[in-house]
Amino acid sequence: MIYTCTLNPAIDLFIETEHLKPEIVNRTNSYDIQPNGKGVNVSFILKHLGIDNTALGIGGGFTSNFIEESLRNKGIKTDFTHIDGISRINVFTRVIDTDTEYKQVNNGPEVNKEKVNNFLEKVSKLKKDDKLVVSGSFSKGVPPNIIIEIAKMAQKQKFNLVIDTSYPDVIQTISYHPYLLKPNDEELLSWFDDEQNNNISTLIAHSKKLIEKGAKNILLSLGSKGALLINKDKVLFGNAPKIKVVNTACSGDTMLGTFLAGIEQNLSAEDNLRRSIAAASSTAASSGLTDFSDVDELIEQINIKQMEG
């Protein structure tokens, strides 16, 4: 079973407006309200592709109720740890006349130590054939080094750990052999204090260092440039198709969910990377998660090539 984990779930409010001016009422063209959080998105993508999964998380209030109900309505099992606070609401605004996107992301509620331990107790029950996907930011009170504790549990219990979070503590999980890391280029460079050298050669070199130290796979998203897949056997690069960007908030989650589904479906690494990039691009071209209706068309624009590194 694949378990996703969202330690700071959210409701996302997507707004489109012609202009955004101060001190006046800005009338919107449209709005959409969606359950969100990176692990939540991965769950939706997995289920869309026919992969059963269970969504874990920490949340509270009417917002968490909405998120969990939305998951269950799609046939996804939920096992959230509930807190007294209210899970956050984020706002993403697309402004037409300036062709800009504003992202207003809140910190989330406070989580006490007891609730953190309750969540870890659920993780302690995972077994050898399970995968756990830890994605996104953590609520206040959830220490970033929890990812190290989870990595230790993964090694001991022999489940596969997938990590998609930007905290520098991720580096300390490498010795516990995480199954997959999915940083973006900026996150990877920040882990190596090398933000000035954002080029393919440097990104591959840093990724290979993580593989040498114990990580099994790196899925590196490059935004409009595409993505890289690095492991001990190969380095693959795929370009991104040309799209009109609407909202980039969930594209990385789409890439990860699609890639994990491809592993379950025994796709080749090349075909899996190609479909994952196409799906991520489809999400970026829409206000929410892709429905995969244009993914086959986008795949035709993507070439996968083996890199020397």
Side-chain angles (χ1 to χ4, degrees):
M1 173 65 72
I2 297 179
Y3 293 83
T4 67
C5 166
T6 309
L7 295 178
N8 199 9
I11 288 177
D12 282 359
L13 170 61
F14 295 93
I15 296 171
E16 180 183 285
T17 183
E18 287 297 326
H19 52 254
L20 190 61
K21 298 180 179 180
E23 300 178 5
I24 67 167
V25 174
N26 293 275
R27 299 291 181 183
T28 64
N29 295 338
S30 62
Y31 70 90
D32 191 20
I33 299 171
Q34 300 176 8
N36 217 299
K38 294 178 73 64
V40 169
N41 292 331
V42 172
S43 276
F44 282 129
I45 293 296
L46 285 168
K47 188 64 178 180
H48 187 97
L49 293 172
I51 307 300
D52 287 335
N53 66 93
T54 298
L56 306 178
I58 298 178
F62 74 98
T63 44
S64 186
N65 291 340
F66 173 77
I67 294 163
E68 295 172 61
E69 183 179 358
S70 298
L71 287 161
R72 290 192 293 269
N73 286 343
K74 293 294 185 180
I76 300 166
K77 296 179 181 177
T78 62
D79 190 7
F80 274 47
T81 299
H82 293 122
I83 60 174
D84 292 333
I86 298 175
S87 294
R88 60 194 176 138
I89 299 175
N90 300 323
V91 181
F92 300 88
T93 304
R94 167 66 58 179
V95 183
I96 301 302
D97 63 1
T98 57
D99 191 26
T100 52
E101 180 184 31
Y102 294 89
K103 303 178 182 182
Q104 296 168 285
V105 177
N106 292 301
N107 290 329
E110 185 80 31
V111 179
N112 62 39
K113 189 174 182 179
E114 178 186 2
K115 297 298 184 179
V116 172
N117 289 336
N118 289 347
F119 164 76
L120 289 173
E121 185 176 348
K122 299 178 190 293
V123 177
S124 71
K125 297 176 182 177
L126 271 58
K127 300 176 181 177
K128 182 178 179 180
D129 293 332
D130 295 326
K131 287 186 178 74
L132 176 65
V133 184
V134 181
S135 299
S137 65
F138 305 158
S139 293
K140 291 178 290 184
V142 180
N145 65 9
I146 193 175
I147 194 65
I148 304 170
E149 188 169 353
I150 293 172
K152 292 178 181 178
M153 297 169 73
Q155 185 180 58
K156 180 179 179 180
Q157 296 161 221
K158 301 186 184 304
F159 64 82
N160 285 325
L161 178 61
V162 178
I163 303 173
D164 180 13
T165 186
S166 60
Y167 295 110
D169 303 73
V170 172
I171 291 294
Q172 297 181 60
T173 70
I174 303 302
S175 60
Y176 302 103
H177 308 290
Y179 178 72
L180 173 67
L181 304 182
K182 200 216 75 64
N184 60 35
D185 49 357
E186 293 179 358
E187 290 166 347
L188 179 68
L189 292 172
S190 71
W191 294 343
F192 288 89
D193 195 23
D194 195 18
E195 291 89 343
Q196 301 303 314
N197 293 305
N198 194 340
N199 57 73
I200 295 293
S201 296
T202 299
L203 293 168
I204 292 174
H206 287 323
S207 296
K208 283 186 169 181
K209 290 175 186 176
L210 297 178
I211 298 296
E212 291 168 2
K213 291 180 179 180
K216 295 179 181 178
N217 298 280
I218 308 291
L219 179 61
L220 182 62
S221 55
L222 307 174
S224 61
K225 297 177 183 177
L228 284 160
L229 174 63
I230 303 100
N231 55 40
K232 65 181 180 61
D233 298 318
K234 60 183 65 179
V235 177
L236 299 177
F237 169 77
N239 64 289
K242 293 182 180 179
I243 59 169
K244 181 179 179 180
V245 174
V246 174
N247 172 51
T248 60
C250 307
S251 56
D253 310 331
T254 301
M255 179 180 291
L256 178 57
T258 305
F259 190 80
L260 292 174
I263 292 172
E264 298 296 309
Q265 295 162 341
N266 296 313
L267 294 184
S268 69
E270 291 79 3
D271 287 343
N272 199 8
L273 182 60
R274 185 181 291 109
R275 186 177 72 166
S276 299
I277 294 171
S281 299
S282 177
T283 285
S286 60
S287 62
L289 294 174
T290 177
D291 62 3
F292 285 83
S293 61
D294 59 347
V295 166
D296 287 342
E297 179 181 345
L298 292 171
I299 282 174
E300 297 300 317
Q301 299 184 46
I302 301 170
N303 296 310
I304 304 296
K305 61 180 179 179
Q306 176 78 44
M307 305 289 288
E308 294 297 328

